[in-house]
């Protein structure tokens, strides 16, 4: 997951992940990518479009 520099660390994305994989702490976002089911709810809920799924 790519976090853009304009992320406000508001925690919205962390609050909606059904698997609780996002941790917002001290201006960092941590994703447990291994468990991510790619539902993209976190991307949709971000008020400033700061998340982007990395295409591998
Ligand atoms: S919802 Fe968007 S702005 Fe808020 S912490 Fe998540 S990525 Fe950052
Ligand atoms: S895509 Fe879905 S499962 Fe993955 S981190 Fe975002 S909300 Fe959680």
């Amino acid at each position: 997951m790519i976090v853009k520099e304009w992320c406000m660390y508001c925690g919205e994305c962390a609050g909606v992940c059904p698997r609780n994989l996002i941790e917002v702490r001290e201006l960092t976002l941590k994703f447990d990518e291994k468990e991510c089911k790619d539902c993209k709810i976190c991307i949709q809920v971000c008020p400033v479009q700061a998340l982007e799924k990395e295409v591998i």
Side-chain angles (χ1 to χ4, degrees):
M1 197 71 80
I2 298 165
V3 185
K4 308 283 191 180
E5 64 269 24
W6 54 84
C7 168
M8 312 176 290
Y9 305 99
C10 65
E12 286 277 324
C13 54
V16 296
C17 177
R19 301 172 69 88
N20 223 4
L21 303 179
I22 310 171
E23 193 185 330
V24 182
R25 199 200 301 160
E26 293 173 7
L27 305 187
T28 58
L29 242 66
K30 270 175 59 185
F31 284 86
D32 188 350
E33 305 247 10
K34 285 195 302 291
E35 297 294 319
C36 175
K37 293 301 172 209
D38 208 15
C39 67
K40 298 189 172 65
I41 296 175
C42 56
I43 294 172
Q44 288 162 17
V45 81
C46 177
V48 293
Q49 286 80 51
L51 293 179
E52 193 180 293
K53 188 73 190 176
E54 197 169 5
V55 183
I56 304 165

